[in-house]
Amino acid sequence: MSESHELETIEIQLLLEGMFRYYGFDFRNYALASLKRRIWNTIRSERLTTVSALQEKVLHNPAYLDRLLLDISVNVTAMFRDPSFYISFRNKVVPLLRTYPFIRIWHAGCSTGEEVYSMAILLQEEGLYDRCRIYATDMNELVLKTAKTGIFPLKQMQEYTQLYHQAGGNKAFSEYYTAAYENAIFRSSLKDNIVFAHHNLATDNSFNEFNVILCRNVMIYFNSHLQERVHKLFYESLGMFGVLGLGHQESLTFTPYEKYYEPIESSEKIYRRVK
Amino acid sequence: MRKSTEELNKKNFEIVVVGTSLGGLEALTLLLADLPQSFPLPVVIVQHRHKSSHNRLTYFLQKQSSLPITEARDKEEILPGRVYLAPADYHLLIESPSDEEFSLYENDFTEWGSVAVESIHNSKSPIPNRGTPKFALSTEAPVCYARPSIDVLFESAADAFGEKVIGIILTGANSDGTKGLAKIKAEGGLTFVEEPASALCPAMPASAIANVEVDWILPLSKIAPCLVNLLRIKD
């Protein structure tokens, strides 16, 4: 490792250590390659030149922390993202859920909520929503605030409408929202059974037992140690025969928890706890 | 400036990264067909493609290559003699093994965590194959309108492997890869660009050449033989 790399690594570790010890946000076990990229994006947008300079700002001024948190947590999402996942969920998971009198769903790392509202729409269409409670959690208060509003930019509705239909939806997607100025305000009934709450997968523990846990494209940002922690947390939070849904490029394959699950739809990374 | 073959041989290159967009399928087919089964390094490829395109690309390229080709998976170990493709709609990055070691070491004497935190930071739990670089995927916003982005792969490769990277830019329609190739060059790695005149779409090679002091500018058919020669591979 060259000297400048070594120094950069030390500076980043100090920043992460400082954020954890002072504010309690633990990024120390995030996958470093992409985290580093996001930290440098922040450094450049704040017109700073070193990680140490950013550390000084963040530790002395909580406003910087909020900005950094927003920058280094990845909040790229969309309604009905990966439509094939929703089709599989309708066809393979919904029939299982029909057998339950009450359904608890944990959507971990929900970001600004687009995928949570998508699931609420799907469950409403399948006549299951009244029996459901969706716990939508994220570590970032700012994105949760957006998620709670259920208001998304109108200009994205064309794309979302397309994805909704690809995901097996057969209503007019515009039934679900009211357009107001630049925004689409989603039907408030979709929110009736959603609880938005703060939860950090890196530091917090389980808070209930669930029938379904969805955590898509979140764990790719963690290193293998943190992935293992989260898989343990999910395993312990799922009831027997509970369903775990991961992102397209995520899997249980490299984890010690693989043996406790069996695939419901392996191409969509939907699993069921069997042990 | 071109380095002498003698000097290059001392470097012990560890990875080849390749970036291409428009026209890449044909170019990759030719490049991979010319790499022998005994090729000693991992080859990691970003080919721009539609986000819903599936495994057909892997299947198609495999028919032309004697090296095993797969889509890179998150946290998968990177092994020599294999060809990895960035999956559609994800950035592909390389995690340096030293980074994970550092964070582990740091956590060994952390005392303020909760019980749950301690349990994953348990230094006694064995770490499988410490020291092997791994892939990491990301769904961050597109870079240069592309996801996967060549810049993202190349920059993380330069970060993880320093001067032990060989970066190759082939045919393509935009300027993705230029920044990444510059970083590889700055770290002391070796840079190849397909000769724009022979490229199906010259924009991407031309952008790289205009902005980076590239080591080798070669027609497509000469790139693989040059690599084989540099790495002194006996078939």
Side-chain angles (χ1 to χ4, degrees):
Chain A
M1 204 192 283
S2 74
E3 245 172 67
S4 66
H5 271 173
E6 197 184 336
L7 186 59
E8 187 201 26
T9 307
I10 291 170
E11 286 181 283
I12 287 178
Q13 294 300 336
L14 289 172
L15 169 71
L16 301 183
E17 201 64 41
M19 282 172 70
F20 177 60
R21 292 175 67 172
Y22 194 60
Y23 294 111
F25 283 99
D26 192 355
F27 287 90
R28 296 173 304 168
N29 280 303
Y30 270 54
L32 208 60
S34 66
L35 179 66
K36 225 187 241 182
R37 218 187 146 79
R38 296 192 295 279
I39 289 173
W40 274 105
N41 284 343
T42 309
I43 292 171
R44 279 187 285 265
S45 69
E46 299 291 348
R47 295 169 188 278
L48 302 170
T49 51
T50 63
V51 182
S52 300
L54 180 67
Q55 181 196 304
E56 198 260 329
K57 299 274 188 200
V58 168
L59 292 182
H60 289 277
N61 184 348
Y64 271 87
L65 176 78
D66 289 338
R67 290 217 288 275
L68 182 63
L69 283 179
L70 208 53
D71 285 350
I72 66 179
S73 54
V74 177
N75 292 302
V76 180
T77 178
M79 294 192 80
F80 295 100
R81 173 191 202 168
D82 303 325
S84 54
F85 175 86
Y86 290 88
I87 289 187
S88 296
F89 196 92
R90 266 185 215 267
N91 296 338
K92 301 274 177 78
V93 180
V94 164
L96 301 174
L97 299 183
R98 285 197 199 288
T99 63
Y100 297 129
F102 191 75
I103 304 153
R104 270 192 296 265
I105 299 173
W106 178 13
H107 196 130
C110 69
S111 188
T112 39
E114 283 85 338
E115 293 169 74
V116 186
Y117 286 93
S118 308
M119 188 52 72
I121 289 172
L122 186 155
L123 292 165
Q124 250 185 13
E125 291 183 352
E126 297 296 333
L128 282 177
Y129 189 61
D130 292 340
R131 283 192 254 163
C132 291
R133 174 143 303 161
I134 305 178
Y135 297 82
T137 64
D138 203 279
M139 61 150 181
N140 194 324
E141 298 280 3
L142 280 172
V143 297
L144 277 175
K145 223 184 249 178
T146 308
K148 278 180 202 166
T149 64
I151 300 173
F152 302 112
L154 191 62
K155 62 173 193 273
Q156 281 166 345
M157 291 308 130
Q158 202 180 348
E159 187 201 344
Y160 291 173
T161 304
Q162 221 174 8
L163 289 167
Y164 162 76
H165 291 303
Q166 287 169 16
N170 46 25
K171 297 200 172 177
F173 189 57
S174 54
E175 277 181 29
Y176 291 105
Y177 62 85
T178 313
Y181 302 101
E182 307 285 288
N183 292 314
I185 303 165
F186 277 76
R187 263 196 216 161
S188 67
S189 70
L190 291 170
K191 275 191 268 191
D192 285 349
N193 300 334
I194 304 175
V195 180
F196 289 100
H198 184 263
H199 183 278
N200 190 334
L201 290 168
T203 44
D204 295 335
N205 290 322
S206 179
F207 56 96
N208 213 327
E209 188 179 294
F210 299 95
N211 306 104
V212 178
I213 296 178
L214 300 172
C215 185
R216 309 192 66 229
N217 297 309
V218 175
M219 278 190 271
I220 48 177
Y221 300 106
F222 300 165
N223 72 16
S224 10
H225 314 293
L226 185 51
Q227 285 185 346
E228 203 177 313
R229 174 192 206 265
V230 176
H231 275 299
K232 180 169 186 280
L233 180 62
F234 288 167
Y235 174 71
E236 288 168 354
S237 308
L238 267 181
M240 188 56 85
F241 304 121
V243 172
L244 177 65
L246 304 174
H248 262 172
Q249 294 294 333
E250 296 171 317
S251 84
L252 284 163
T253 313
F254 298 124
T255 77
Y257 293 89
E258 191 182 2
K259 54 181 181 281
Y260 301 122
Y261 292 87
E262 96 196 354
I264 291 179
E265 183 88 288
S266 48
S267 63
E268 296 299 333
K269 308 297 157 58
I270 301 176
Y271 304 89
R272 189 179 198 189
R273 181 182 158 182
V274 289
K275 274 186 206 164
Chain B
M1 211 177 61
R2 191 173 290 192
K3 299 175 186 80
S4 75
T5 317
E6 222 23 54
E7 188 190 337
L8 287 169
N9 274 324
K10 284 187 199 134
K11 271 200 177 169
N12 295 321
F13 291 106
E14 286 184 4
I15 194 166
V16 178
V17 288
V18 183
T20 179
S21 73
L22 195 62
L25 186 57
E26 293 80 356
L28 288 171
T29 305
L30 284 169
L31 184 82
L32 292 175
D34 286 345
L35 296 180
Q37 211 173 353
S38 55
F39 194 77
L41 306 182
V43 179
V44 187
I45 300 170
V46 165
Q47 152 85 70
H48 291 170
R49 52 179 163 152
H50 191 265
K51 64 178 172 187
S52 61
S53 71
H54 291 295
N55 273 324
R56 254 173 318 195
L57 182 62
T58 318
Y59 175 77
F60 187 85
L61 291 174
Q62 186 64 77
K63 286 200 290 192
Q64 317 294 326
S65 172
S66 53
L67 299 166
I69 304 176
T70 51
E71 281 200 353
R73 294 181 297 173
D74 187 50
K75 305 296 177 289
E76 181 180 5
E77 289 177 3
I78 305 172
L79 300 174
R82 287 174 171 270
V83 177
Y84 300 96
L85 274 172
D89 209 24
Y90 285 80
H91 290 304
L92 179 61
L93 298 98
I94 291 164
E95 287 289 345
S96 158
S98 55
D99 289 342
E100 283 222 346
E101 261 177 60
F102 195 99
S103 87
L104 267 179
Y105 173 71
E106 190 68 15
N107 290 326
D108 280 350
F109 47 83
T110 305
E111 283 168 10
W112 46 78
S114 67
V115 179
V117 172
E118 274 167 10
S119 71
I120 57 149
H121 292 158
N122 183 355
S123 59
K124 288 182 190 73
S125 67
I127 304 121
N129 300 305
R130 178 188 280 224
T132 316
K134 290 177 187 168
F135 287 118
L137 298 174
S138 153
T139 56
E140 281 161 84
V143 175
C144 292
Y145 308 100
R147 188 171 65 198
S149 143
I150 302 166
D151 281 339
V152 170
L153 171 68
F154 280 22
E155 286 173 15
S156 76
D159 228 25
F161 286 95
E163 58 169 18
K164 296 175 189 305
V165 183
I166 300 176
I168 305 174
I169 294 285
L170 303 177
T171 167
N174 67 6
S175 64
D176 187 21
T178 295
K179 276 190 189 155
L181 201 71
K183 171 125 185 197
I184 290 174
K185 180 75 191 176
E187 293 287 337
L190 191 64
T191 51
F192 283 79
V193 173
E194 180 180 1
E195 198 173 69
S198 79
L200 198 77
C201 189
M204 195 180 272
S207 163
I209 291 165
N211 293 286
V212 186
E213 209 185 304
V214 176
D215 297 291
W216 299 81
I217 299 165
L218 296 171
L220 181 61
S221 60
K222 296 274 165 54
I223 294 178
C226 183
L227 276 178
V228 168
N229 188 32
L230 264 176
L231 300 165
R232 298 250 169 91
I233 302 162
K234 290 182 197 85
D235 218 351

